[in-house]
Amino acid sequence: SSISAETNNKECALCGFVIDYVKGQLLKNKTETYILDKLEKVCLLVPAPLQPTCRLLVTLYGVPAIKMASSKVNTTVLCELVDLCPTPTPTPTKTVQNVQVGDTKCTICDFVVGEVEKYLSGNATEAQIITFLNKDCKIFGAFGTTCQSLVQAYVPTIINLLENNQSPDTVCAEIKLCTSRLSKKV
């Protein structure tokens, strides 16, 4: 368990590094697109084993991090929210855990939909897409198995929805993995 604790510390430090960079750029009034572009380059500066985690952080949390960083939320709190820093409270209440699990599924779903869309545009078959995604899920670390079970359960439906011109933004709400979005009908 000491290895996973060490990994957590590295990911926690990495998260802090990314958020602090975002805050620095926001102070210079840089745009969201500019910051995201620079963050991808920042990931090349971190130690090689952490680069995939860094890229995943940018992909999944870049935009929310920019929004949250601009709201002056404490860096440590932000990194606890995305489960990259250990939360100081030893036993979180049930509701907090449920919310985090829901958000995680929603985040993973967004990632999966983006990947499915990319693979579809390359004319991959459903079986190939599932194989690719099972490998892609490894970047979620502890949530890799959650990602893989989502892939097994939802990829055929996601492919259907995308092929029927459903917007990628609405797919995860449609399959009830991003329930918070259902209330915000655009």
Side-chain angles (χ1 to χ4, degrees), residues 113 117 120 157-171 174:
V113 170
E117 199 181 18
L120 281 175
T157 312
I158 291 171
I159 291 173
N160 259 336
L161 290 168
L162 289 172
E163 285 179 338
N164 289 317
N165 299 321
Q166 181 91 16
S167 150
D169 294 342
T170 56
V171 169
E174 196 72 31

Side-chain angles (χ1 to χ4, degrees), residues 11-130:
E11 288 177 353
C12 182
L14 180 65
C15 179
F17 171 69
V18 169
I19 301 283
D20 287 338
Y21 177 83
V22 169
K23 285 183 171 175
Q25 292 300 312
L26 286 170
L27 290 174
K28 296 177 188 164
N29 292 325
K30 298 295 185 188
T31 64
E32 198 172 277
T33 317
Y34 175 90
I35 296 174
L36 287 175
D37 182 52
K38 284 286 179 235
L39 276 175
E40 283 172 16
K41 292 182 177 65
V42 166
C43 286
L44 300 172
L45 307 174
V46 301
L50 286 174
Q51 285 184 12
T53 309
C54 183
R55 283 196 294 275
L56 178 67
L57 253 177
V58 172
T59 308
L60 296 180
Y61 300 117
V63 176
I66 291 167
K67 290 189 169 54
M68 288 195 273
S70 60
S71 68
K72 309 282 184 289
V73 177
N74 177 303
T75 300
T76 313
V77 173
L78 285 180
C79 295
E80 284 165 10
L81 283 174
V82 296
D83 283 341
L84 284 173
C85 288
T87 320
T89 47
T91 48
T93 59
K94 274 280 179 279
T95 52
V96 171
Q97 273 180 324
N98 290 344
V99 167
Q100 283 178 336
V101 169
D103 288 350
T104 302
K105 282 190 173 166
C106 182
T107 302
I108 292 173
C109 180
D110 283 339
F111 168 77
V112 169
V113 170
E115 293 297 288
V116 168
E117 199 181 18
K118 192 171 74 185
Y119 292 132
L120 281 175
S121 68
N123 294 323
T125 65
E126 184 178 303
Q128 286 172 321
I129 291 173
I130 290 172

